[in-house]
Amino acid sequence: MIKVAAIQMCSGTQPERNVQTMERMVREAAAAGATYVQTPEMTGALQRDRAIFSTILREQENDIIACRAGELAAELGIYLHVGSTAIARGDGKIANRGLLFDPKGRLATTYDKIHMFDVDLDNGESWRESSAYTPGKDARVIDLGFARLGFAICYDVRFPALFRAEAVAGAEILTVPAAFTRQTGEAHWHVLLRARAIENGAFVIAAAQGGLHEDGRETYGHSLIIDPWGRILAEGPEAGEAVIFAELDISASRAARARIPNLKNARDFNLDMLPALAKGGLTA
């Protein structure tokens, strides 16, 4: 059994304030016994103004969130997973990057968000992540000793092949830190995350942003921890800060996969594109 925590934030536009919030909530999680703690997507800042955003960007070794997270992980003796923060790549583009620090404060691995949120929503919201961010190319699974952890960020949740690949590689915990919009969250957040847990026989941990942010956007909240059978073990509020906890029995992942062995039973197949039917029905 391991105790995990997901931290729900409502990140503002200034990393200096957000890092203080992150530290306070990480300490709360560790004090309650969590050995793995996850923060949401864009922990460092949510800022729509590109010109202002560019002034707060730093490369990873100088990023305030990355540096403080490593120090906290070492001090508290925990795995600290910064769900993501914006990292300057040095080529004029940005990485939406997750960072996992081990209990000695060492950077265990990073993950750059693969799928870019380029959408136009019914309420007039329009997002083009690819105009600023460089998408990642590599899925990641890391063995922490007590469990294998797979990585994703927010919009990645809509691409089940990513999660299937990580599960086939042995991931028992799938992570989906996010800053889901309110509109899409109300429609799809719970069902997508529960589906990823069920179809892969894995725990899902999804720390979320929640509430009305300083830059005017509104995120859905409802941070979730879900078991391999799709049951919600812990859930955050619709808006505002929260730390949610669950104790995970990692053997439950193996048990779920034994009961419904769909990962093992998957088969390759061919797809035939058939010609259109003639008007009036089938032809001879």
Side-chain angles (χ1 to χ4, degrees), residues 152 156-157 159-168 174-176 196 200:
D156 283 333
V157 76
F159 300 86
L162 171 63
F163 297 84
R164 176 56 55 93
E166 293 179 351
V168 168
L174 301 171
T175 63
V176 197
R196 297 298 86 86
N200 293 297

Side-chain angles (χ1 to χ4, degrees), residues 128-283:
R128 292 292 181 274
E129 281 189 339
S130 61
S131 67
Y133 293 91
T134 297
K137 297 180 179 179
D138 301 314
R140 293 271 160 84
V141 173
I142 187 169
D143 192 338
L144 303 182
F146 57 84
R148 297 178 192 89
L149 197 75
F151 294 83
I153 296 172
C154 200
Y155 190 52
D156 283 333
V157 76
R158 295 184 182 273
F159 300 86
L162 171 63
F163 297 84
R164 176 56 55 93
E166 293 179 351
V168 168
E172 296 127 334
I173 300 174
L174 301 171
T175 63
V176 197
F180 244 62
T181 68
R182 181 178 180 83
Q183 182 182 6
T184 57
E186 288 175 341
H188 298 146
W189 173 250
H190 288 78
V191 68
L192 284 171
L193 289 168
R194 293 184 68 203
R196 297 298 86 86
I198 293 165
E199 66 199 9
N200 293 297
F203 291 95
V204 169
I205 304 174
Q209 296 280 357
L212 182 62
H213 299 262
E214 287 179 338
D215 71 347
R217 82 184 73 197
E218 191 171 9
T219 51
Y220 183 59
H222 293 278
S223 297
L224 292 172
I225 304 174
I226 304 169
D227 80 0
W229 210 243
R231 293 174 290 227
I232 295 172
L233 302 178
E235 181 169 357
E238 182 173 303
E241 298 175 357
V243 183
I244 64 172
F245 299 91
E247 292 197 1
L248 310 187
D249 180 354
I250 302 303
S251 67
S253 174
R254 295 188 292 275
R257 290 170 180 176
R259 291 173 71 184
I260 308 291
N262 59 307
L263 297 179
K264 184 166 53 176
N265 291 347
R267 295 176 58 85
D268 294 330
F269 53 85
N270 299 316
L271 173 63
D272 294 330
M273 186 62 191
L274 303 176
L277 297 175
K279 289 184 178 179
L282 294 172
T283 58

Side-chain angles (χ1 to χ4, degrees), residues 9-151:
M9 297 174 64
C10 187
S11 292
T13 58
Q14 297 300 316
E16 292 77 13
R17 292 202 304 270
N18 296 327
V19 76
Q20 293 176 0
T21 300
M22 178 189 78
E23 177 170 351
R24 171 173 52 80
M25 299 181 78
V26 168
R27 289 187 181 280
E28 178 183 339
T35 55
Y36 165 91
V37 180
Q38 181 190 120
T39 73
E41 181 184 24
M42 287 296 149
T43 292
L46 284 168
Q47 171 59 268
R48 289 176 117 171
D49 188 306
R50 293 283 176 82
I52 297 175
F53 197 36
S54 66
T55 67
I56 64 176
L57 288 172
R58 299 290 184 271
E59 295 185 356
Q60 186 172 302
E61 59 269 23
N62 298 315
D63 179 76
I64 187 172
I65 295 290
C67 293
R68 190 67 190 118
E71 295 166 352
L72 279 171
E75 177 190 342
L76 301 172
I78 61 172
Y79 284 96
L80 179 50
H81 179 184
V82 176
S84 89
T85 198
I87 297 294
R89 286 169 40 94
D91 60 0
K93 287 269 193 168
I94 310 166
N96 187 345
R97 181 168 295 168
L99 307 106
L100 178 69
F101 295 90
D102 74 10
K104 293 186 178 180
R106 300 171 298 199
L107 182 64
T109 193
T110 64
Y111 168 78
D112 289 357
K113 185 177 182 179
I114 293 174
H115 299 96
M116 299 288 97
F117 190 53
D118 290 356
V119 301
D120 298 302
L121 301 177
D122 292 342
N123 64 356
E125 288 184 71
S126 183
W127 302 92
R128 292 292 181 274
E129 281 189 339
S130 61
S131 67
Y133 293 91
T134 297
K137 297 180 179 179
D138 301 314
R140 293 271 160 84
V141 173
I142 187 169
D143 192 338
L144 303 182
F146 57 84
R148 297 178 192 89
L149 197 75
F151 294 83

